[in-house]
Amino acid sequence: MSFRSLIANRRVHWVVGVAFVILLSLLIILATFPWGMLRETAVRRASEQFGRPVTIGRIERLDSFSFTPTIAIHDVSVPQAAWAGKGELARIATARVRFSAWALLIGRFAPQSVEIDGLRLSLARDAQRRVNWRKHGAGGDDDDSPARLEHFVLRDARVTYRDAFQQRSFDLTLSSDAEGFRVGGVGTVRGQPVSITAHGPVIVTNGKPWAFGATIDGPALTMKATGMMDAPLDMRHLTIDVSARADDLKLIDAIIEAGLIGTQPVSLTAHARHDGHDWNVSSVAGSIGQSEIAGHVTVRKMDGRTSLDGAIVAERLRFDDFASDSGLATAHALKQVEGPRLVPDLRINMRKITHTDGTITFTVRRLIDNGGARAFTGISGRVTLDHQLLTVDPLTFTMVKGTMSGTLRVDQRGGREVPLVTIDMAIHDSRLGVIAGTAGGEVDGRFDGHARLSGPGSTIREAVGNSDGRIGVVARDGRLPAKIASMIGLDAGRSLFTGGDEEAGLRCVALRLDLRQGVGRADPFVIDTTRSRSEGTGTVTFPSEAVSLDMTGRPKDRIVLRLPGSLHIGGTIKQPDAFVPREVKSVGNIFKAIGRAIRGDQGPLATDADCAGLARRVLE
């Protein structure tokens, strides 16, 4: 059949006409559809979304013919979650919405204009992070696209928020009209009172960025933010500048939820870009107590995990700045009970860090006012976290003299309650006086050390207290008071009559501890001076750092009076206590020593130790 015959065919005309009438009828139905008929459908779907019986008073159409109809939804009520208390999660007196009927045909609700009167929201999160605005067990909303609104009005709106997990609560009023968007209210953050304000221009989607500003202000916490969102209220795509001041970094963390620690007072600024799930914090700078820090970090989320990539530089850093007043008080009280300790009580348990990976490099150019850590002047390293395996490699401490370097590994994979900690650190070319905090004192010499330990623990101190491995230290080519050198050889005569300012040479001190379950057995332990040589046995026990060593010494030259027995070293590593046991100093032993001196029977003299060989053995 030719085209001319086809268009002249009455049957074809009839089919086209019927199709046109049907299409026209469908368009008319769509343009005049009584949307109130879908109230039950809307109630059912909303109830399924919240997991609670949502009610809607009525839905009415406000215009008569349009493909972008306007409807009024009255008396909307969403019950509160049972665990969050009584009352309602949400109530809306009236909401007028204009939307695209065409988008609804393909299953997408696309509002173009929204006016809400009488909004009440009561939001809550409990200590287990359950939220009442989402059905229990449901995931978050992954839609990155904000509503494209041509018109948004909000009247008589109030929102309350209670968060047991972050210990914060807010009571806010919101409004949006021709004069712009505004938020105001009060609240508390970890028990500290704050006021809240936020503002922005009229909410309308016009393809231009939407400027905003927000402030949290209180005696203990102040945060100010200004920036641009890609579209009105598009919290997932924005550029922001933030300044913050707080008595404790934990107060800031209660707002940004980054898992930060308690600290001394904080003043920080930051510039960042947020896109979807990712953050690019291009600059952070400021102070924590007396410490000055700067850095940058990129945070990306993929497949349910968070990846970090960044760098931190501290021009100056004080360790005590990274503890709150309460934390410092607890540490001080513990120190009063236990006494000073060499191994830090730094917490390293990562049990709650289950979905974070990444790499952070860090540099501390100058350590200040760090008490027992005065031997160290700076730190640098790279932290890598991969599925609860944390590796610090390299880790380098610069010192007043020499360096300490190596690696630290914290393994909490496989659901471990307590991580397995592996330490491999060595000190090179330092000084005994620097390590002991007595630089320039009477006892000094080159100092080297090496520790290889592995054990479970939630802190470094606990891990060392449970560890197996070895610790080796060597001091050599130094000096010490001649009186002490004589006492090490139990040379009572020279010890009594040597002048206080006379020196002896310290050829070497070599100590290796083989640790099993935190108990280190000395093998070898040698103190070799130009006057005497002493060899010891015993233990050093962690985490108490209790020392129990017995030294048996011999002089290198003929002496007048030599006491029999041994010298005992007790106390702790930081506070050792050396003394001659009472039985050694007994009257009987002294007379025996005098008798041997008269007979000339003083036993064999000591020879020089192989200090180089001892150093290799101890430091291997």
Side-chain angles (χ1 to χ4, degrees):
M1 181 181 292
S2 67
F3 179 73
R4 181 173 295 179
S5 300
L6 182 63
I7 62 175
N9 190 298
R10 290 179 177 272
R11 183 176 296 174
V12 172
H13 289 177
W14 185 83
V15 171
V16 172
V18 169
F20 176 76
V21 169
I22 293 173
L23 178 60
L24 182 61
S25 300
L26 291 174
L27 292 175
I28 293 172
I29 291 171
L30 182 63
T32 60
F33 188 80
W35 296 102
M37 293 176 56
L38 299 180
R39 184 182 70 87
E40 293 300 326
T41 300
V43 166
R44 184 178 66 254
R45 291 189 176 181
S47 298
E48 291 173 353
Q49 179 179 351
F50 289 102
R52 282 161 262 161
V54 175
T55 60
I56 298 175
R58 71 182 193 280
I59 300 176
E60 61 176 326
R61 180 164 185 163
L62 300 181
D63 56 6
S64 56
F65 187 93
S66 176
F67 293 114
T68 55
T70 300
I71 62 173
I73 307 170
H74 300 281
D75 298 325
V76 179
S77 175
V78 181
Q80 188 61 276
W83 58 263
K86 298 179 180 180
E88 296 170 307
L89 161 64
R91 171 165 285 279
I92 299 175
T94 301
R96 284 170 287 277
V97 183
R98 187 176 77 247
F99 61 94
S100 169
W102 300 109
L104 200 61
L105 285 178
I106 59 174
R108 187 169 65 89
F109 181 63
Q112 299 172 350
S113 172
V114 176
E115 293 186 16
I116 298 177
D117 289 283
L119 170 66
R120 297 291 183 270
L121 284 177
S122 180
L123 307 176
R125 181 166 69 163
D126 68 7
Q128 289 71 46
R129 305 195 200 188
R130 288 184 301 178
V131 296
N132 66 342
W133 59 87
R134 198 161 50 233
K135 183 178 179 180
H136 183 61
D141 184 5
D142 292 329
D143 184 8
D144 290 345
S145 303
R148 300 289 179 175
L149 296 176
E150 299 173 1
H151 180 68
F152 180 70
V153 172
L154 193 58
R155 305 183 191 93
D156 185 24
R158 181 179 178 184
V159 177
T160 61
Y161 175 66
R162 297 173 289 114
D163 188 337
F165 180 72
Q166 287 293 350
Q167 302 173 43
R168 61 189 181 185
S169 63
F170 307 113
D171 189 342
L172 308 173
T173 59
L174 296 82
S175 64
S176 178
D177 50 32
E179 296 182 1
F181 177 78
R182 297 171 299 283
V183 177
V186 295
T188 61
V189 178
R190 295 186 177 269
Q192 301 296 325
V194 294
S195 61
I196 300 100
T197 60
H199 60 86
V202 175
I203 295 178
V204 56
T205 303
N206 54 12
K208 297 180 180 180
W210 191 74
F212 69 93
T215 300
I216 298 174
D217 191 26
L221 171 66
T222 297
M223 296 182 69
K224 296 181 179 180
T226 58
M228 288 282 186
M229 297 182 187
D230 289 6
L233 301 181
D234 184 1
M235 300 292 291
R236 317 254 325 248
H237 300 86
L238 58 85
T239 301
I240 187 171
D241 287 282
V242 179
S243 63
R245 175 206 57 80
D247 289 352
D248 186 334
L249 194 59
K250 270 291 186 184
L251 292 171
I252 296 175
D253 187 62
I255 303 300
I256 66 175
E257 300 192 45
L260 304 176
I261 61 174
T263 67
Q264 293 300 292
V266 177
S267 178
L268 297 171
T269 61
H271 177 79
R273 172 68 189 175
H274 188 203
D275 281 305
H277 295 291
D278 300 337
W279 282 94
N280 179 17
V281 184
S282 57
S283 67
V284 177
S287 63
I288 300 176
Q290 300 176 39
S291 302
E292 299 174 356
I293 63 171
H296 62 86
V297 64
T298 300
V299 183
R300 292 187 173 88
K301 292 191 176 183
M302 184 179 298
D303 299 329
R305 300 193 66 79
T306 299
S307 176
L308 308 177
D309 184 11
I312 300 172
V313 175
E315 291 297 327
R316 43 190 272 153
L317 184 139
R318 175 177 173 264
F319 287 135
D320 282 353
D321 288 335
F322 294 85
S324 63
D325 287 344
S326 61
L328 290 175
T330 300
H332 178 72
L334 183 63
K335 185 176 180 180
Q336 292 296 106
V337 173
E338 296 184 344
R341 292 286 185 268
L342 177 68
V343 181
D345 199 30
L346 177 66
R347 184 168 179 80
I348 49 176
N349 194 302
M350 304 181 297
R351 186 169 55 87
K352 296 181 180 180
I353 306 176
T354 57
H355 295 87
T356 301
D357 306 314
T359 300
I360 301 290
T361 62
F362 61 91
T363 302
V364 177
R365 294 202 168 99
R366 185 161 68 96
L367 288 169
I368 60 172
D369 188 25
N370 282 303
R374 289 174 186 164
F376 302 101
T377 60
I379 315 172
S380 63
R382 182 179 63 242
V383 179
T384 302
L385 182 60
D386 183 8
H387 292 77
Q388 291 191 296
L389 172 63
L390 183 146
T391 305
V392 188
D393 183 12
L395 173 59
T396 301
F397 293 79
T398 55
M399 305 175 69
V400 174
K401 169 65 176 174
T403 61
M404 183 169 77
S405 60
T407 63
L408 171 68
R409 177 185 169 107
V410 181
D411 188 351
Q412 205 154 359
R413 294 173 295 181
R416 286 176 177 265
E417 283 292 319
V418 176
L420 177 64
V421 182
T422 303
I423 300 169
D424 188 347
M425 297 295 297
I427 295 177
H428 301 283
D429 195 24
S430 188
R431 302 294 297 180
L432 182 59
V434 169
I435 299 299
T438 59
E442 296 178 320
V443 181
D444 203 1
R446 173 178 169 173
F447 184 91
D448 298 276
H450 193 182
R452 289 178 177 167
L453 303 171
S454 183
S458 292
T459 67
I460 295 290
R461 184 178 296 171
E462 181 184 335
V464 173
N466 295 321
S467 66
D468 296 336
R470 62 181 181 271
I471 299 173
V473 294
V474 175
R476 48 191 158 173
D477 304 327
R479 67 178 188 276
L480 79 166
K483 185 182 290 289
I484 294 177
S486 296
M487 178 59 71
I488 290 171
L490 293 176
D491 183 347
R494 289 189 180 181
S495 178
L496 289 172
F497 298 109
T498 297
D501 57 352
E502 189 175 344
E503 287 187 349
L506 177 64
R507 297 190 69 251
C508 62
V509 176
L511 170 63
R512 170 168 162 162
L513 297 174
D514 288 315
L515 269 72
R516 294 293 180 270
Q517 295 294 305
V519 178
R521 191 165 299 279
D523 182 24
F525 181 23
V526 176
I527 301 177
D528 190 30
T529 76
T530 52
R531 286 196 169 196
S532 61
R533 172 177 168 180
S534 184
E535 298 186 4
T537 59
T539 60
V540 178
T541 303
F542 298 91
S544 65
E545 301 181 11
V547 177
S548 181
L549 297 168
D550 292 302
M551 306 294 300
T552 301
R554 290 182 294 163
K556 292 187 176 180
D557 295 313
R558 290 293 175 184
I559 62 176
V560 176
L561 182 65
R562 176 175 180 265
L563 290 176
S566 61
L567 180 72
H568 183 75
I569 302 175
T572 65
I573 295 175
K574 295 283 284 186
Q575 293 180 324
D577 182 16
F579 61 93
V580 177
R582 181 179 301 173
E583 59 272 16
V584 174
K585 298 185 292 183
S586 68
V587 174
N589 273 346
I590 292 175
F591 277 113
K592 290 178 181 179
I594 293 173
R596 283 194 293 269
I598 294 173
R599 296 193 305 271
D601 181 15
Q602 295 295 320
L605 299 177
T607 59
D608 288 346
D610 179 9
C611 289
L614 285 169
R616 287 192 297 272
R617 178 182 171 189
V618 165
L619 299 176
E620 64 179 0

